Amino acid sequence: MNPFMKLAIEEAKQGIQNQHGGPFGAVIVKDGKVVGKGHNQVIKNNDPTCHGEIMAIKDACKTLNTFDLSGCEIYTTGYPCPMCFGAILWANIGKIHYGCDVNDTEIIGFRDKKFYEEQENNIKNLTIQVDRDACLALYEEYKNITDKTHY
């Protein structure tokens, strides 16, 4: 067994045993060392964004004191949902190692597959553009800031 996946599974088991959420654990590795770990805490925190991968990303960012996880890899017990996949991309994590796939996750009652299948339709049906000019002005203000790393 891959030692990092073993840690991800242990993290997921911790979450299950403490009734924090589903069987999803993740660890983030850089240069062969674990720099972040997390498990699903949706139930614990009453927060649908507290997936294992998100919690591991937050932990790794805190550990490394950066929002850029370039050079890192993530090991996760389940194929990342669209939200987590997006977060992994935003964090610049270079490789995703996963255990169970979307079909496996559906069998135990999770609806990740639905989100992948309906993502484009949901975006069209749920989004309405408003006040673009005001938001463009905000973007322009941000664009003119020369040092965006020290807020």
Side-chain angles (χ1 to χ4, degrees), residues 6-49:
K6 183 177 181 186
L7 291 172
I9 291 169
E10 290 172 5
E11 187 69 25
K13 285 184 178 182
Q14 178 186 344
I16 293 169
Q17 292 165 354
N18 290 303
Q19 299 178 345
H20 291 172
F24 307 108
V27 296
I28 297 176
V29 177
K30 184 169 187 174
D31 300 326
K33 296 180 182 176
V34 174
V35 294
K37 60 183 180 176
H39 60 267
N40 185 293
Q41 296 185 37
V42 168
I43 294 171
K44 176 186 177 192
N45 295 330
N46 281 327
D47 183 341
T49 67

Side-chain angles (χ1 to χ4, degrees), residues 28 49 51 53-55 57-58 61 67 69 74 80-93 96:
I28 297 176
T49 67
H51 290 197
E53 296 93 335
I54 302 293
M55 303 309 284
I57 289 169
K58 288 181 179 200
C61 288
F67 58 85
L69 299 180
I74 189 167
C81 73
M83 175 185 69
C84 291
F85 199 89
I88 290 165
L89 293 175
W90 276 109
N92 296 314
I93 294 172
I96 302 168

Side-chain angles (χ1 to χ4, degrees), residues 46-143:
N46 281 327
D47 183 341
T49 67
C50 290
H51 290 197
E53 296 93 335
I54 302 293
M55 303 309 284
I57 289 169
K58 288 181 179 200
D59 190 42
C61 288
K62 183 177 179 183
T63 298
L64 298 174
N65 194 34
T66 182
F67 58 85
D68 184 355
L69 299 180
S70 294
C72 293
E73 299 182 9
I74 189 167
Y75 291 78
T76 178
T77 57
Y79 188 85
C81 73
M83 175 185 69
C84 291
F85 199 89
I88 290 165
L89 293 175
W90 276 109
N92 296 314
I93 294 172
K95 189 156 304 243
I96 302 168
H97 305 268
Y98 67 95
C100 293
D101 64 23
V102 174
N103 292 320
D104 299 323
T105 303
E106 183 178 39
I107 290 169
I108 63 167
F110 289 85
R111 55 193 174 135
D112 298 33
K113 189 174 185 179
K114 175 184 175 185
F115 289 111
Y116 274 109
E117 291 173 349
E118 296 183 10
Q119 189 170 14
E120 191 171 320
N121 288 334
N122 283 336
I123 290 171
K124 290 176 186 173
N125 293 330
L126 294 174
T127 60
I128 301 168
Q129 188 173 24
V130 295
D131 297 324
R132 181 172 183 261
D133 290 339
C135 293
L136 281 173
L138 173 70
Y139 279 24
E140 186 66 27
E141 181 180 333
Y142 178 80
K143 185 174 85 172

